[in-house]
Amino acid sequence: TAAPAAELPKNLAAGASVSASSEYSESYLARFVIDGKVPGAGSQSEDRGAAWCVHKATSGDRGELVFRFSGPVEVAEIIYWGRTAWFIEECWKDYRVYLDGGETPAVSGSLEMVHGPQRITLPSPARVRSVRLEFLNSYGGPNPGASEVEVFGRRLTDRELNELAARHGARPSAAAWAAEPDPEALGRLIADLVRLHGSRYLQAESHRARLDAGDEGARFRRR
């Protein structure tokens, strides 16, 4: 019997108001990063009305999102989903996170050029009224942005990150798969990918076989 799906903590971003330094058009507004939709990689027009991106010609290779909450909330981790429907290069790269209008970043780092959930984890949880994500550059795509941004009051476990990826029809980062493999979550993810991509998911049978053999996805690699 398959284990029940992991119960995820509340996504605080869903109840926030969101603004951006630049919005490409009415089809790519900041508020679309909290709509619960993650367009598939290469799905092209599916991200109209479901993702945010800057107008790079006027904003340069930079952008920012500001989340404002109705009252103080505990923030521990932000999950970023790159904009991958048209070009994988439209993912942001280097970032900084500012809390409550502070001038010193609470955390900074680099994101990957991948389709899937990526962690931005604060050094320690903070009680705040606003979070500002500053994106310093991208991987060179025409109009970089985000398909979704989620905010949580605690750090997700690796199993929860796997579950989050499965719910959106994506795979998590390689580090998450290797750290805490979950056969049930991997099985659900394979089934979701088959449903989404059908015969285009060429590795479906080999991935099922490796999962049945006990590999549990620890050595899966992007292809």
Side-chain angles (χ1 to χ4, degrees):
T1 303
E7 184 175 348
L8 300 178
K10 181 181 180 180
N11 172 22
L12 303 172
S17 64
V18 189
S19 60
S21 56
S22 171
E23 295 172 319
Y24 183 80
S25 69
E26 291 296 313
S27 296
Y28 294 100
L29 301 175
R31 62 184 174 87
F32 297 140
V33 301
I34 59 170
D35 62 3
K37 302 174 185 176
V38 177
S43 59
Q44 298 188 356
S45 60
E46 285 185 16
D47 83 338
R48 292 194 180 108
W52 160 74
C53 65
V54 300
H55 190 273
K56 189 173 178 178
T58 56
S59 68
D61 198 25
R62 301 178 71 97
E64 71 174 41
L65 289 170
V66 179
F67 297 81
R68 295 181 176 88
F69 307 97
S70 58
V73 296
E74 189 90 350
V75 173
E77 186 165 68
I78 300 163
I79 302 296
Y80 166 82
W81 298 76
R83 183 175 182 233
T84 59
W86 292 91
F87 304 99
I88 193 74
E89 293 86 0
E90 289 183 310
C91 292
W92 291 113
K93 187 180 179 183
D94 299 319
Y95 67 84
R96 296 173 183 156
V97 178
Y98 298 85
L99 306 177
D100 279 344
E103 296 182 359
T104 302
V107 65
S108 60
S110 298
L111 299 160
E112 297 179 72
M113 188 172 59
V114 297
H115 178 73
Q118 300 189 59
R119 298 181 186 272
I120 300 175
T121 306
L122 300 184
S124 59
R127 195 159 182 81
V128 302
R129 290 179 177 270
S130 68
V131 173
R132 178 165 65 94
L133 283 173
E134 181 184 21
F135 301 106
L136 306 179
N137 48 52
S138 74
Y139 282 92
N143 299 293
S147 294
E148 193 79 1
V149 176
E150 296 163 296
V151 178
F152 297 100
R154 65 169 175 81
R155 187 182 189 276
L156 300 184
T157 66
D158 290 327
R159 181 183 178 189
E160 288 169 337
L161 189 65
N162 287 355
E163 179 64 32
L164 186 64
R167 290 184 186 186
H168 288 301
R171 67 171 67 176
S173 67
W177 284 56
E180 190 178 307
D182 183 340
E184 289 79 16
L186 293 176
R188 289 194 299 274
L189 182 55
I190 291 171
D192 286 342
L193 290 172
V194 169
R195 186 178 66 254
L196 286 167
H197 302 293
S199 60
R200 290 177 296 167
Y201 179 19
L202 302 178
Q203 299 91 354
E205 291 306 314
S206 64
H207 286 177
R208 284 198 189 101
R210 291 167 64 183
L211 187 61
D212 291 343
D215 189 353
E216 300 180 348
R219 295 186 296 278
F220 277 32
R221 293 289 184 268
R222 295 185 184 279
R223 300 189 187 279

